[in-house]
Amino acid sequence: MSALRTDSPQALRSVVVGTGSSLPAQVVTNAALTERVDTSDAWIVQRTGIRQRHIADASETTSVLGTRAARAALDDAGLTGDDIDLVICATSTPDHTFPATATQIQAALGIHQGAAFDLQAVCAGFVFAVSTADKFLTTGSARRALVIGAETFSRIVDWEDRTTCVLFGDGAGAVVLEARADAGDRGVLCASLRSDGRHREKLYVDGGPGSTGTTGRLRMEGREVFRFAVGQVTDVIADAFAQAGLTADDLDWFVPHQANRRIIEASADKLGIPREKIVLTVDRHGNTSAASIPLALDVARRDGRIQPGHLVMIEAIGGGFSWGAALIRW
Ligand code: UT7
């Protein structure tokens, strides 16, 4: 990995210089789901806010979606693969057990330098990946990172289980982070990450290469996850604000993991974040796990909501449990 030569590595900041996303072509509405699952549009909308999700076809693997999102982020930044020396892909649905999906994306983009690896923190994966990339960039261990969240949860949900299968969708999002010594107050300001493996049974996949030798299917105690998400996850948000010496009043955009509109709004209310500062995409994307935040970031940046200088908070909780929050000055 190329090291950035600098006399004052502590002055480096990880600045977002590009975003991109990719969604499978196939849109599945709630109405379409009722043809294969005992559910209703009214139940899904009322309990989750989801109206539709994108579902990958056989050719659209996680690396394919991730590569498209990464390419869009590179184009947005005016960069090519030659400019990238770190690729991190947050995913729980890798194309294969190994090699890392990040290396498949790296190869597809023609990147032959630097390191590429996957990061597995389920729905919190993108927040963990941003924080990890930030450490590489601000210590001079990498110059520019592609940070990707890419998922095909449609492959691991149990399509016979109506309590979970209606919630998830497929997609990918990516950001390019660049190490800059002249960033001023821009860049990743801080992150707060937590995990507590005692909650495994509440959200897990019932198989894996080291246990059953199968992929397994997603299992979730929805009510328990809901309670934890609203009740506990605010600790990382409060910690991130404290680290940065900022408050919810300073925030321009709250970009949470998109699992459930009720969870998002209850969390925002608890934190004193006005509803108009929430970027909400769960209605169109469903829960895309590690992809949900970079997908939402790309939507809000391209429609003009997120502007340079804005203070953005990303926040997520998922299986493990693992949860985290990060503050980014755009
Ligand atoms: O991304 C990782 C993090 N994951 C999450 O954040 C998900 C967190 N959990 C949730 O979002 C919510 O708990 C759910 C959306 C999963 C469920 O909402 P809920 O308000 O907690 O509903 P519930 O599980 O308490 O179920 C209420 C009723 C049940 O019927 P009874 O027992 O009251 O007769 C369910 O059987 O709704 C029934 N139900 C459904 N009905 C129609 C469950 N799934 C469905 C369905 N369609 N798809």
Side-chain angles (χ1 to χ4, degrees):
M1 170 159 307
S2 62
L4 196 72
R5 291 174 63 88
T6 171
D7 295 332
S8 54
Q10 61 271 40
L12 290 168
R13 288 285 192 93
S14 312
V15 178
V16 180
V17 295
T19 67
S21 60
S22 168
L23 290 160
Q26 186 189 187
V27 174
V28 176
T29 62
N30 293 345
L33 267 187
T34 62
E35 287 163 24
R36 63 191 286 191
V37 183
D38 177 19
T39 189
S40 67
D41 176 56
W43 189 94
I44 300 172
V45 172
Q46 196 257 325
R47 300 285 173 142
T48 72
I50 298 168
R51 294 182 183 277
Q52 62 169 49
R53 71 285 295 139
H54 292 249
I55 301 290
D57 68 24
S59 71
E60 291 170 316
T61 63
T62 296
S63 72
V64 167
L65 296 174
T67 300
R68 285 186 201 151
R71 196 168 274 133
L74 284 174
D75 288 348
D76 185 44
L79 299 170
T80 71
D82 291 342
D83 301 307
I84 299 296
D85 57 1
L86 178 66
V87 182
I88 305 179
C89 182
T91 188
S92 302
T93 45
D95 288 13
H96 301 97
T97 302
F98 76 81
T101 296
T103 62
Q104 302 306 287
I105 296 171
Q106 185 200 33
L109 294 171
I111 302 172
H112 306 302
Q113 66 283 343
F117 58 89
D118 287 357
L119 191 149
Q120 219 279 45
V122 204
C123 299
F126 185 75
V127 181
F128 278 54
V130 165
S131 178
T132 303
D134 181 52
K135 267 91 183 159
F136 277 80
L137 294 168
T138 56
T139 55
S141 300
R143 194 184 303 263
R144 283 192 207 88
L146 260 172
V147 184
I148 304 155
E151 303 278 18
T152 46
F153 261 52
S154 65
R155 313 261 209 260
I156 59 163
V157 295
D158 178 353
W159 285 99
E160 302 297 313
D161 176 8
R162 70 173 184 168
T163 69
T164 53
C165 72
V166 302
L167 306 173
F168 293 93
D170 302 330
V175 300
V176 180
L177 289 178
E178 181 173 271
R180 282 199 187 160
D182 60 351
D185 65 350
R186 293 178 66 201
V188 176
L189 306 186
C190 61
S192 180
L193 309 180
R194 289 286 318 277
S195 300
D196 187 342
R198 288 175 295 181
H199 298 282
R200 174 191 180 275
E201 298 299 324
K202 292 168 190 155
L203 179 50
Y204 67 104
V205 168
D206 63 4
S211 53
T212 58
T214 63
T215 303
R217 292 276 171 254
L218 184 148
R219 306 292 169 209
M220 178 166 73
E221 292 176 29
R223 243 173 289 191
E224 289 297 313
V225 181
F226 191 107
R227 199 174 346 194
F228 190 88
V230 175
Q232 300 283 321
V233 83
T234 46
D235 63 351
V236 287
I237 296 177
D239 184 45
F241 278 131
Q243 283 185 55
L246 297 167
T247 71
D249 291 341
D250 299 307
L251 213 55
D252 291 293
W253 298 109
F254 180 51
V255 188
H257 171 47
Q258 309 282 321
N260 185 317
R261 184 182 184 130
R262 285 155 60 218
I263 294 177
I264 292 169
E265 292 184 342
S267 303
D269 290 351
K270 206 171 152 183
L271 292 155
I273 299 170
R275 297 264 171 106
E276 59 271 19
K277 289 187 177 179
I278 302 172
V279 175
L280 201 75
T281 51
V282 70
D283 53 335
R284 353 174 199 168
H285 299 162
N287 181 346
T288 57
S289 191
S292 86
I293 290 174
L295 272 163
L297 287 174
D298 193 45
V299 167
R301 204 197 57 76
R302 285 177 195 265
D303 70 18
R305 274 179 287 176
I306 298 179
Q307 294 286 335
H310 277 178
L311 184 67
V312 177
M313 170 164 275
I314 59 173
E315 169 270 325
I317 182 223
F321 294 139
S322 283
W323 65 107
L327 277 167
I328 303 168
R329 176 79 64 190
W330 210 260

